Amino acid sequence: MSKLRFRISMSLDGFVAGPNQSVDNPLGVGGMRLHDWVFPLKAWREMHGMEGGEVDASSTVVEEAIANIGATIMGRNMFGGHPGPWDKDKPWKGWWGDDPPYHHPVFVLTHHRREPLELEGGNTFTFVTNGIESAIEQARRAARGKDISLAGGANVAQQYLKAGLVDEMEISLAPVLLGSGERLFDGVGVDLHGLELIRTVATPQVTHLKFQRR
Amino acid sequence: MSKLRFRISMSLDGFVAGPNQSVDNPLGVGGMRLHDWVFPLKAWREMHGMEGGEVDASSTVVEEAIANIGATIMGRNMFGGHPGPWDKDKPWKGWWGDDPPYHHPVFVLTHHRREPLELEGGNTFTFVTNGIESAIEQARRAARGKDISLAGGANVAQQYLKAGLVDEMEISLAPVLLGSGERLFDGVGVDLHGLELIRTVATPQVTHLKFQRR
């Protein structure tokens, strides 16, 4: 059966986004520092249609993260734009422009109903209003045997972690402090539901901690 | 000049002690799980007068941590016992029995005056009531050119980190969640004062992240 694979960048003090997230600053104040390790990589630049870039131990981690993914689940906050009901006249279409980097079905957890959104390159966004289990069922069907990526943010990740539905988790720990913002593990409790550390990949910029359900 | 070297075990969710710390449970509920990686090690067992034990990549980290240390600074909570003024009739003598594992001068930061305490094996405890800078000056004189270990706990570590006085920091990240307790980086802000990740040592039980001031 296809796995639910969660990967995210986290600061040394446990934050996955900085404070004061907004349309202009989707990762919050300082949140971009979580991702400093990824931007120079060839593997990341290719995903976003850019040439060149560096290759280091993180490259394998990025390549592995996108391999064999057939669908993505994300929270409303990560899809972004604004809180509350969708704007009917000018609905938010995500941060990514006309051709987002997913190229497969994406399921957005939200409290507000909305018709599916179809963008270029096989990027379809389906809005799921009946909870995390429904989203995983829909994503599993859409993934056709491939795995499902759980993209975040913190709130949706917490729901899946607490429910014990995450099969694989990779935390890319950035050696920086954000001081405040969204904490990944807030309210998750003490139970990792069998997720065990199986691999650590380190560079001077980041430490990738991979967990798998035993 | 001798360096101030800080090392501590931290959970994936950022805690260095569990909730409800007490005389019977000094590390708080679940806090012992932070140290599961160290107890089987030969290097740790030797320090505590026990024979046998395992050798793995963590062994070097433990040996390095105790090498060239001439004095230790710790907080009142880590020295332990009880909050408030010292009991004059039966003063608390620490968790470690008659022969603590330090074998050098230890400086305990506290709000309550107390005469120095001399135990076996070169373990002297001096109680410092006039702040972190005084403690570091006294420790530096006592260390006679060797380095100073900053043993914790969270509150004292936060004071030294905020003041930018830590020269080296090694975080042994345990792949577990504590859910609540003492957070290492609470109130430290966003500034590591030049501490940069210089080495990562990983085993399936723990990831050691070593920072040094550039």
Side-chain angles (χ1 to χ4, degrees):
Chain A
M1 193 153 88
S2 63
K3 290 182 193 162
L4 184 65
R5 290 159 44 189
F6 170 49
R7 73 148 311 284
I8 203 158
S9 291
M10 182 175 92
S11 67
L12 193 60
D13 51 349
F15 296 99
V16 293
N20 305 319
Q21 289 173 275
S22 67
V23 170
D24 293 333
N25 202 353
L27 298 172
V29 176
M32 202 65 100
R33 297 166 68 211
L34 298 175
H35 307 279
D36 280 345
W37 63 273
V38 81
F39 301 130
L41 295 181
K42 188 172 188 292
W44 187 86
R45 293 176 59 87
E46 268 175 8
M47 265 177 71
H48 293 80
M50 292 181 276
E51 286 179 15
E54 297 169 12
V55 174
D56 67 14
S58 291
S59 303
T60 317
V61 173
V62 172
E63 284 158 11
E64 204 181 81
I66 57 180
N68 197 40
I69 295 291
T72 289
I73 296 173
M74 67 176 61
R76 160 67 185 272
N77 200 37
M78 183 163 177
F79 182 71
H82 52 84
W86 303 101
D87 184 334
K88 274 180 188 141
D89 299 326
K90 207 189 165 193
W92 176 260
K93 294 183 171 181
W95 311 103
W96 306 277
D98 291 331
D99 185 14
Y102 297 100
H103 311 300
H104 58 226
V106 178
F107 296 85
V108 180
L109 277 153
T110 168
H111 293 292
H112 305 281
R113 288 179 172 280
R114 175 171 171 182
E115 291 298 306
L117 169 70
E118 209 159 315
L119 297 178
E120 289 171 20
N123 286 288
T124 59
F125 293 84
T126 302
F127 300 88
V128 180
T129 53
N130 54 349
I132 61 169
E133 306 218 359
S134 169
I136 208 171
E137 275 167 34
Q138 294 182 55
R140 195 156 271 150
R141 276 198 302 275
R144 299 168 178 268
K146 291 189 174 182
D147 292 338
I148 303 158
S149 162
L150 177 58
N155 183 285
V156 164
Q158 286 154 11
Q159 292 183 52
Y160 279 103
L161 285 167
K162 277 171 77 171
L165 291 171
V166 175
D167 299 302
E168 213 177 275
M169 170 172 82
E170 188 149 30
I171 295 179
S172 298
L173 195 75
V176 301
L177 301 180
L178 290 195
S180 58
E182 297 274 338
R183 280 192 205 278
L184 176 56
F185 290 110
D186 243 10
V188 172
V190 300
D191 193 354
L192 279 173
H193 296 276
L195 288 171
E196 283 184 350
L197 182 64
I198 59 150
R199 188 187 70 185
T200 305
V201 173
T203 80
Q205 286 77 42
V206 65
T207 306
H208 306 283
L209 303 160
K210 184 174 182 178
F211 293 74
Q212 218 166 53
R213 196 198 298 276
R214 65 163 171 265
Chain B
M1 193 154 89
S2 64
K3 291 183 194 161
L4 184 65
R5 289 159 45 189
F6 172 48
R7 74 147 310 283
I8 202 157
S9 292
M10 182 175 90
S11 67
L12 193 59
D13 52 348
F15 296 100
V16 292
N20 305 318
Q21 289 174 273
S22 66
V23 171
D24 292 333
N25 202 354
L27 298 172
V29 176
M32 203 65 99
R33 296 167 69 211
L34 298 175
H35 306 279
D36 280 346
W37 63 273
V38 82
F39 301 129
L41 295 181
K42 188 171 189 293
W44 188 85
R45 293 176 59 86
E46 269 175 6
M47 263 177 73
H48 293 81
M50 291 182 276
E51 287 180 13
E54 296 168 14
V55 174
D56 67 15
S58 291
S59 303
T60 316
V61 173
V62 172
E63 284 158 11
E64 203 181 82
I66 57 181
N68 197 40
I69 294 292
T72 289
I73 295 173
M74 67 176 63
R76 161 67 185 274
N77 201 35
M78 183 165 178
F79 182 71
H82 53 82
W86 303 100
D87 184 336
K88 275 182 187 140
D89 298 327
K90 207 189 163 194
W92 175 260
K93 293 183 172 182
W95 311 102
W96 306 276
D98 291 331
D99 186 15
Y102 298 100
H103 311 299
H104 57 225
V106 177
F107 296 85
V108 180
L109 278 154
T110 168
H111 294 292
H112 305 282
R113 288 180 172 281
R114 175 171 170 181
E115 291 299 306
L117 169 70
E118 208 158 315
L119 298 178
E120 290 171 20
N123 286 287
T124 58
F125 293 85
T126 301
F127 300 88
V128 180
T129 54
N130 53 348
I132 61 169
E133 306 218 2
S134 169
I136 208 171
E137 275 167 34
Q138 293 183 54
R140 195 156 271 151
R141 276 199 300 275
R144 299 170 179 267
K146 290 189 175 182
D147 291 338
I148 304 159
S149 161
L150 176 59
N155 183 284
V156 164
Q158 285 154 12
Q159 292 183 52
Y160 279 104
L161 285 167
K162 277 172 78 171
L165 292 171
V166 175
D167 299 301
E168 211 177 276
M169 169 171 82
E170 187 149 32
I171 295 180
S172 299
L173 195 73
V176 300
L177 300 181
L178 291 195
S180 57
E182 297 274 338
R183 282 193 204 276
L184 177 54
F185 290 110
D186 243 11
V188 171
V190 300
D191 192 354
L192 279 173
H193 295 275
L195 289 171
E196 282 185 351
L197 182 63
I198 59 150
R199 188 187 70 184
T200 305
V201 173
T203 80
Q205 286 78 42
V206 65
T207 307
H208 307 283
L209 303 160
K210 185 174 182 178
F211 293 74
Q212 217 166 56
R213 195 197 299 274
R214 66 163 169 264

